[in-house]
Amino acid sequence: MKIAVVGTGYVGLVTGTCFAETGNQVTCVDIDVRKVERLQKGDIPIYEPGLDVLFDRNVAEGRLVFTTNLAEGIKDAEVIFLALPTPPGEDGSADLKYILKVADDLGHILDKYAVIIDKSTVPVGTAEKVNAAIAANAKVKFDVVSNPEFLREGVAVEDFMKPDRVVVGTSSEKAKKVMEKLYAPLVRQGNPVIFMDERSAEMTKYAANSFLAMKITFMNEIANLCEKVGANVDDIRRGIGTDSRIGKRFLFAGIGYGGSCFPKDVQALAKTSKDYNYDFRILQSVMDVNDDQKKKLLPMVDSYFGGNLKDKTIAVWGLAFKPYTDDIREAPALENINALLEAGAKVTVYDPEAMTNVKQILGDKVTFCHTPYAALDDADALMIFTEWPQFRTPEFEKMSRLLKNKVVFDGRNLYELGTMREMGYTYFSIGREKVVPA
């Protein structure tokens, strides 16, 4: 099948590469000349485990190509994916200008029937707007389909190639047959392709991400209460996670969610609710709690140092909003680092993948280190913001020699309380008792 993917961001590049891997001829289109030149040279602009192997193979075999020319990119395409940015406005609404601009352009250049697929996360009613924008100038028939992505950064290739489910919103039988053919290689194990109307498909993506954000936030609220009543949130997580009605995932307490999806999608669903005069009260609570949770460690740090962080050196492990990605959008680490700097502290940082992106924002305001242990050298304390696997089993004795004070502020609950007690650390975490050396 000949496929065009308009937009080579995270979703577009994974979508294009994975469909090429299933034998399709894929052309990815982007107006960013430098990005396209990088891709044509084999340089992937994002970090996503496993993507490089598929990318290199399909480029080498000629199934994956890149262009800045939209007309060239969609020539003879049966399917055209729109994987374009939908940045949030100040009121939380998703900005559709990029999608609608491409839709308008498509109306002028379509010369045969094609299925136009909204892959971006978009508000309810977007398929209708895209349809209208194309129809204003189109001289051929086409269908617009909503096909939201459910990719988790860090495991996006696996999510795409082995999806839990595929959601397709269409009222066209012709488009339905095209989508069944397109996804057949990816659902051979029986995972469902769920067909519904366009508006329901658009709402499904927002509902899924908002529910997961709510689940995370609920556990953070439980953790905050645990600290007051003397309970352990890890035990509670295990106690409720084995209930099949609740499930084990997204129950880990911490310093809040970040990234490109959860914050934006919760805001967008809240804005949609407001537009339709519905007070979706739980969403505002989720956003308020998460904003506070991101700063959860700062009062602990401030109290430990007696309210004076001037000239203290704080080591930071983890900058990305989650492990296995270099994505720092809405990452709790950035807000905390800025607060530490404002308080007069010096900050040394380490992250396996995200330091280049952070350097573009913070420049030389912090010290970037090549190893996690280098960040600890002569530091007054360690703060942990991302649960990278290498942080889970560190050399505690080496840490003890490097740190001025054996104190750790852990925003991801990486360590067992007993271990930290035995090692003689002062240890602060989320929803658990503070460990203080005897």
Side-chain angles (χ1 to χ4, degrees), residues 61-284:
E61 295 179 5
R63 289 192 299 269
L64 182 63
V65 298
F66 302 90
T67 182
T68 57
N69 188 309
L70 181 62
E72 174 187 310
I74 70 162
K75 184 175 175 56
D76 297 326
E78 299 172 64
V79 171
I80 302 171
F81 281 96
L82 305 184
L84 295 151
T86 54
E90 291 185 7
D91 61 355
S93 60
D95 189 341
L96 299 178
K97 65 182 178 184
Y98 301 110
I99 289 176
L100 295 179
K101 173 62 170 65
V102 171
D104 180 69
D105 292 341
L106 287 174
H108 291 279
I109 60 178
L110 280 177
D111 59 5
K112 57 173 286 189
Y113 173 83
V115 176
I116 316 299
I117 302 173
D118 285 336
K119 198 66 176 171
S120 307
T121 301
V122 293
V124 174
T126 299
E128 295 162 24
K129 293 179 180 179
V130 170
N131 190 88
I134 298 172
N137 298 292
K139 297 179 175 61
V140 297
K141 291 184 178 182
F142 63 93
D143 281 309
V144 175
V145 168
S146 174
N147 176 216
E149 53 84 15
F150 297 96
L151 305 179
R152 296 168 296 161
E153 292 189 45
V155 287
V157 171
E158 181 178 355
D159 283 348
F160 199 99
M161 301 301 287
K162 300 176 182 178
D164 289 335
R165 80 291 199 198
V166 177
V167 172
V168 178
T170 182
S171 54
S172 164
E173 284 299 318
K174 187 174 183 179
K176 181 179 178 181
K177 290 179 181 178
V178 172
M179 298 301 288
E180 287 175 336
K181 177 183 176 183
L182 179 66
Y183 278 104
L186 303 179
V187 294
R188 295 178 63 193
Q189 293 180 331
N191 293 337
V193 179
I194 305 171
F195 288 96
M196 59 186 72
D197 64 87
E198 295 88 342
R199 284 182 166 238
S200 295
E202 291 163 343
M203 179 66 88
T204 296
K205 176 58 187 288
Y206 282 126
N209 277 357
S210 295
F211 183 85
L212 295 175
M214 179 189 68
K215 198 173 181 183
I216 293 168
T217 303
F218 178 82
M219 285 307 295
N220 285 335
E221 288 273 66
I222 290 292
N224 295 339
L225 183 57
C226 283
E227 293 173 7
K228 294 185 178 296
V229 304
N232 185 315
V233 74
D234 284 345
D235 292 336
I236 295 165
R237 169 178 55 80
R238 288 188 287 267
I240 69 174
T242 47
D243 186 328
S244 60
R245 297 169 300 174
I246 296 173
K248 299 177 182 179
R249 300 174 65 183
F250 291 89
L251 293 181
F252 288 87
I255 48 173
Y257 60 79
S260 62
C261 294
F262 285 4
K264 178 171 68 72
D265 293 353
V266 173
Q267 289 176 15
L269 186 56
K271 177 60 168 60
T272 296
S273 302
K274 185 177 180 180
D275 289 345
Y276 284 84
N277 296 315
Y278 181 73
D279 184 10
F280 206 145
R281 287 165 290 178
I282 197 170
L283 290 183
Q284 188 59 53

Side-chain angles (χ1 to χ4, degrees), residues 33-45 55-56 59 64-66:
V33 175
R34 289 186 178 180
K35 182 189 283 189
V36 170
E37 288 177 347
R38 285 180 63 185
L39 289 165
Q40 289 172 336
K41 294 176 182 177
D43 183 10
I44 303 176
F55 179 94
D56 291 343
V59 167
L64 182 63
V65 298
F66 302 90

Side-chain angles (χ1 to χ4, degrees), residues 317 350-352 371-373 387-395 415:
W317 281 3
Y350 174 78
D351 186 284
T371 70
Y373 298 107
E387 60 273 35
W388 284 97
Q390 63 184 273
F391 301 157
R392 292 185 179 276
T393 54
E395 297 178 49
Y415 308 130

